[in-house]
Amino acid sequence: MLSFDGKKIYLSCGVTDMRKSINGLSAIVETKFALNPFDNAVFVFCNRNRDRLKILEWGWSFASLTARPGIPDGDGFWLYLKRLEKGRFRWPSVGDDPTMNLTAEELAILLGGTRVDLKLKRNEVIERKIS
């Protein structure tokens, strides 16, 4: 499981076009949220059907630990994708704020909480007479 302890987590309320990749999602972070995508933060987006999530994170390298404080020294973005085969994510609609702040624990519940909502149907075999 991914670990985002110590990072700010921003959830994008409403739906996001999942055709967007790193550049498109980071543009949303800058323009719509007025945040810096290079910060020590994670940005979570969901599609209209609520069966796919994308998580955008600036990748921090080992060199950043010894770099000057306040200056991002990552080596690139990470883009995680999760697709559900059954069920849907519980996702907030657009309200007054375009984002919602979550803790790492709340994100873990959101990512794994769909297991509770899934109703796994068992395909039962029905006997048929062959004539």
Side-chain angles (χ1 to χ4, degrees), residues 2-88:
L2 301 172
S3 176
F4 298 117
D5 293 334
K7 291 187 178 250
K8 294 179 185 174
I9 300 171
Y10 297 97
L11 188 103
S12 174
C13 298
V15 298
T16 303
D17 183 359
M18 285 291 124
R19 294 176 293 180
K20 294 189 183 300
S21 191
I22 292 171
N23 292 341
L25 295 175
S26 61
I28 290 174
V29 169
E30 286 182 311
T31 58
K32 189 176 172 185
F33 306 158
L35 296 170
N36 184 0
F38 299 100
D39 281 345
N40 189 22
V42 174
F43 305 95
V44 187
F45 304 89
C46 189
N47 69 339
R48 184 173 306 281
N49 292 333
R50 296 184 329 221
D51 63 350
R52 290 190 177 136
L53 282 183
K54 283 190 177 180
I55 300 174
L56 181 68
E57 176 187 26
W58 176 249
W60 295 91
S61 64
F62 178 74
S64 68
L65 299 176
T66 58
R68 292 177 287 165
I71 298 174
D73 191 27
D75 52 4
F77 282 101
W78 283 95
L79 183 63
Y80 308 99
L81 170 71
K82 180 165 182 168
R83 181 184 74 187
L84 295 178
E85 294 299 321
K86 295 181 181 180
R88 296 179 189 268

